[in-house]
Amino acid sequence: MSTFDSRPVLTRRALLGSAAATGLAALVPAPVTARTRTLGYPFTLGVASGDPTSDAVVLWTRLAPRPLDRDGGMPARPVEVYWEIATDPHLRTVVQRGVCAARPELGHSVHVEPRGLGAHREYWYRFRVDGHLSEIGRTRTLPAPGSSPSALRFAVACCQNYQTGYYTAYRSLAAERPDLVLFLGDYIYEYPPRGDRDVRPLLGGEPVDLAGYRARYAQYRADPDLRAAHAAAPFGTVWDDHEVKNDYAGPVPQPSSDPDVVAAFGARRAAAYQAFYEHVPMRRPAGATDFSTLRVYQRLRVGELATINLLDTRQYRSDQPCDDGTGHGNLKIDDTCAERDDPARTILGAQQRAWLLDGLARSDTRWNLIAQQMLFAELRMAEEQNPGRLVMEADGWDGYTADRRLILDHLRSRSVSNPVVFSGDIHDHAVADLPADFADPTARVVATEFVAGAISSPSFGTTTGAADHNPHLRFGSERNGYLSVRLTPERMETEVRSMYPPEGVRYVTPDAECRTEARFVVLDGRPGAQPG
């Protein structure tokens, strides 16, 4: 089978039978012959949903009969796309339908937002174009404000490097049919092909313009396991650095020593932001006129059970401290780097930071989740070349300690209810207690952190031996995988879902087994994770 499996899920005969039974024959495309059909199968990148509220959700697809072509194989004109959403998996009970235009200036992507849906309900949806039917996707709205849901089941994923392994973990995640998936960054990687070193061949060079980023997303989105995960549940998606350029900081590329690279970076970042929007089921912020900036941070409310704050730690940050940590290796710093503690420096930006602190202070939900890209806990590591020296990552929260102290102090002083941080980036699973002050060994724990291991990106060995220098670290694992979470008013149960490839293989294979490597519980009113 080709990498780009373009076969519809439902046959026309099955569709006609269900339509006749429900009186929806008008939605069934008339027979189309090879001579009258103008497009090849356009849904090669699948369907997706995201950014759910209690009465709405974003439905996504992108038309691309030839996804790796510069234009995706689409004509240079708008194309009508029909959509429908129903309360049953066979779409017999359609509650809304409509038509929209897929426009070439947005890569013929579609972002439909049906409103007025029922709260805390499952829905199924699909698209139709030129006689072609998409696969059917499942989505779910969130509980209504003021309601008291008994539970929320969600997954946390990040870091899916196509070159370095397969997306087998998504097969397991999709089978769980969670209420929500939080994706915390590195949806694509911008690296060029590495020849025989690549587990899976990557097409094209390093993307630097819109066409390049579109092609990179197209190759990723055509993966059948990633498509299955998107079709199984709504996503809340934020980016990290590789969606643009490794280790970039706000408007500054890394490294920033070449003035020509710096001068061209604004246009490259805008192209990357547009390609991200074109391939992710997200709302375009009201009033946005271009992609020089793109707000991705947002707040999801789950009735009275939880508030989920999705953050952006990349777009608004200051440059990494101490000349990007040079002198201690790539982006490594130690305690001699006073700049990391400078209160004028920020990883969130003043506006987003104020939005987060205000939201935490005002929250009236039982649980308050902060979902973001970087390891939040302090992490001191023995330097590889000089094990007697402890270093930290300049690119993470250890390089922006003023923002971290402000948030931890806010959680303590405002008695924020049950704060839990979810993170990604480091390619390892990790669990940590978050004390009010990392420098004070007697400081009380005010929050808990869970870090999702990478879907396919290789481990850096970040957590190997780290507990020796970081007493707040409760667990670490170098395995790939994701987190599976069940949240109730009384407790949060987190399963570390890890991948087990054949013995001796160091990457995720198509037949790798997914198992629960560890379980942890956080109890209402008791910060800190306990083995479950």
Side-chain angles (χ1 to χ4, degrees):
M1 183 183 296
S2 166
T3 300
F4 302 116
D5 184 0
S6 62
R7 295 175 299 176
V9 172
L10 291 184
T11 65
R12 177 173 171 79
R13 179 177 296 177
L15 178 64
L16 282 168
S18 65
T22 57
L24 296 175
L27 283 175
V28 180
V32 181
T33 68
R35 287 182 297 175
T36 60
R37 179 175 283 165
T38 60
L39 297 176
Y41 184 70
F43 301 112
T44 58
L45 308 184
V47 300
S49 67
D51 289 2
T53 67
S54 61
D55 67 348
V57 68
V58 176
L59 307 180
W60 172 93
T61 193
R62 180 189 166 209
L63 309 182
R66 299 190 301 276
L68 296 180
D69 285 6
R70 187 175 185 87
D71 57 6
M74 292 293 294
R77 57 175 173 79
V79 174
E80 285 190 339
V81 179
Y82 296 85
W83 59 270
E84 55 185 337
I85 186 167
T87 55
D88 67 288
H90 300 290
L91 282 80
R92 294 191 177 98
T93 309
V94 173
V95 293
Q96 287 190 40
R97 63 174 70 94
V99 61
C100 61
R103 301 184 179 278
E105 58 267 28
L106 290 176
H108 288 97
S109 62
V110 172
H111 297 75
V112 174
E113 188 176 352
R115 295 179 176 272
L117 302 176
H120 205 198
R121 290 198 61 175
E122 278 186 306
Y123 289 93
W124 288 263
Y125 62 94
R126 70 176 164 208
F127 298 90
R128 174 171 63 88
V129 172
D130 193 35
H132 298 284
L133 287 172
S134 75
E135 59 199 273
I136 294 174
R138 169 190 174 269
T139 191
R140 192 176 183 98
T141 53
L142 296 178
S147 67
S148 300
S150 60
L152 175 74
R153 294 173 55 254
F154 65 95
V156 184
C158 65
C159 304
Q160 51 189 35
N161 192 332
Y162 187 94
Q163 298 166 265
T164 59
Y166 289 83
Y167 296 162
T168 319
Y170 276 131
R171 204 175 304 161
S172 173
L173 186 155
E176 293 184 18
R177 296 166 64 86
D179 299 328
L180 178 67
V181 178
L182 303 178
F183 188 88
L184 302 185
D186 293 342
Y187 195 97
I188 63 165
Y189 282 70
E190 85 289 8
Y191 296 140
R194 304 175 303 167
D196 292 342
R197 295 171 57 204
D198 285 340
V199 174
R200 295 199 280 179
L202 192 64
L203 304 177
E206 179 173 338
V208 296
D209 59 13
L210 183 56
Y213 283 109
R214 281 175 175 169
R216 183 60 53 89
Y217 275 100
Q219 187 166 12
Y220 276 59
R221 287 300 306 248
D223 178 274
D225 292 323
L226 179 57
R227 283 173 52 174
H230 274 295
F235 274 53
T237 308
V238 288
W239 54 38
D240 192 18
D241 53 343
H242 288 289
E243 288 86 351
V244 181
K245 171 74 171 151
N246 183 41
D247 293 332
Y248 86 95
V252 182
Q254 164 69 28
S256 57
S257 55
D258 187 333
D260 291 334
V261 172
V262 174
F265 187 67
R268 176 176 178 173
R269 194 181 84 157
Y273 284 5
Q274 178 171 340
F276 178 87
Y277 171 77
E278 290 175 354
H279 292 85
V280 168
M282 63 173 288
R283 293 178 184 83
R284 188 167 179 182
T289 57
D290 59 30
F291 290 95
S292 58
T293 63
L294 180 63
R295 174 171 168 169
V296 297
Y297 68 88
Q298 62 169 314
R299 187 170 289 127
L300 304 178
R301 169 122 188 187
V302 187
E304 294 185 341
L305 178 63
T307 299
I308 304 172
N309 301 278
L310 282 157
L311 304 185
D312 176 357
T313 60
R314 191 57 63 176
Q315 181 175 188
Y316 312 109
R317 66 160 63 192
S318 309
D319 197 10
Q320 290 91 349
C322 296
D323 195 22
D324 297 332
T326 53
H328 298 295
N330 183 31
L331 293 172
K332 298 294 191 295
I333 53 175
D334 61 17
D335 286 325
T336 64
C337 176
E339 190 179 349
R340 76 187 190 102
D341 299 321
D342 183 353
R345 300 181 64 261
T346 177
I347 194 172
L348 293 179
Q351 181 174 333
Q352 181 183 198
R353 184 179 58 205
W355 170 88
L356 173 63
L357 296 178
D358 180 67
L360 291 170
R362 293 173 178 268
S363 175
D364 58 358
T365 56
R366 181 72 62 91
W367 297 83
N368 288 277
L369 313 185
I370 300 173
Q372 49 89 50
Q373 296 76 7
M374 317 295 293
L375 175 70
F376 191 82
E378 182 177 88
L379 188 68
R380 296 175 180 269
M381 302 167 288
E383 190 175 40
E384 186 175 351
Q385 298 83 3
N386 182 6
R389 169 180 286 160
L390 296 181
V391 295
M392 294 160 282
E393 293 284 352
D395 189 55
W397 286 88
D398 279 332
Y400 303 83
T401 60
D403 269 7
R404 181 169 64 191
R405 283 196 304 271
L406 191 62
I407 292 170
L408 289 172
D409 184 65
H410 193 76
L411 297 177
R412 178 192 57 80
S413 63
R414 297 300 184 101
S415 298
V416 175
S417 179
N418 294 323
V420 180
V421 178
F422 287 94
S423 313
D425 179 67
I426 63 172
H427 300 185
D428 281 7
H429 295 297
V431 180
D433 294 337
L434 300 177
D437 184 354
F438 284 100
D440 181 1
T442 67
R444 71 181 180 90
V445 174
V446 297
T448 312
E449 180 174 20
F450 293 98
V451 185
I455 289 292
S456 61
S457 304
S459 170
F460 297 134
T462 307
T463 59
T464 302
D468 295 342
H469 312 295
N470 303 276
H472 50 276
L473 190 66
R474 305 295 306 279
F475 173 81
S477 169
E478 296 183 11
R479 292 193 176 275
N480 293 95
Y482 63 97
L483 302 177
S484 181
V485 185
R486 184 176 186 271
L487 182 63
T488 71
E490 296 78 26
R491 56 198 283 136
M492 173 183 286
E493 302 168 355
T494 301
E495 292 189 22
V496 177
R497 300 284 286 159
S498 295
M499 303 308 297
Y500 291 79
E503 186 174 354
V505 179
R506 297 184 60 83
Y507 63 88
V508 179
T509 59
D511 59 347
E513 184 181 355
C514 187
R515 306 179 204 158
T516 296
E517 185 177 5
R519 291 183 177 88
F520 290 88
V521 175
V522 180
L523 299 177
D524 174 32
R526 293 177 57 185
Q530 307 299 325

